[in-house]
């Protein structure tokens, strides 16, 4: 019966990534997390105030666009989560 050929082992040396090790190990600034969570909460509070005040606040002249503004503020916070380490 024929014997199977042994498999070649992959090179045990790790491949270098495109980013330098310094960029990966760089710590996040201290203001990043509070701003991120603050924007998410501010957007939520903006929308809640709009509904609770029966469309009188936060900005009465733009009407339903207050929802877009609230979601926009919250989305900036959520997009910041992609850079959180």
């Amino acid at each position: 019966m024929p014997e199977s050929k042994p498999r070649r082992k992959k090179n045990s040396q790790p491949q270098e990534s495109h980013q330098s090790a310094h960029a990966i190990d760089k710590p996040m600034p201290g203001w990043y997390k509070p701003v991120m969570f603050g924007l998410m909460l501010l957007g939520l509070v903006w929308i809640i105030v709009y509904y609770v005040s029966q469309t009188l606040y936060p900005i009465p002249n733009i009407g339903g666009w207050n929802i877009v503004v609230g979601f926009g503020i919250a989305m900036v916070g959520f997009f910041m989560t992609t850079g959180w380490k």
Side-chain angles (χ1 to χ4, degrees):
M1 180 174 257
E3 291 184 25
S4 63
K5 295 180 182 179
R7 293 185 181 179
R8 295 181 188 174
K9 293 186 179 182
K10 291 185 179 182
N11 195 357
S12 62
Q13 296 176 351
Q15 297 287 334
E16 289 188 30
S17 64
H18 294 288
Q19 296 179 349
S20 67
H22 179 39
I24 294 171
D25 295 336
K26 187 175 180 182
M28 296 299 298
W31 56 266
Y32 197 84
K33 280 198 298 189
V35 169
M36 177 181 68
F37 289 120
L39 287 172
M40 287 188 269
L41 289 174
L42 179 64
L44 178 65
V45 168
W46 188 288
I47 294 169
I48 290 172
V49 166
Y50 174 73
Y51 279 117
V52 170
S53 71
Q54 297 178 356
T55 70
L56 294 176
Y57 297 106
I59 302 174
N61 294 336
I62 63 173
W65 284 97
N66 277 305
I67 296 172
V68 175
V69 171
F71 274 115
I73 293 169
M75 288 309 295
V76 170
F78 281 114
F79 287 140
M80 287 178 73
T81 61
T82 61
W84 181 25
K85 297 177 185 174

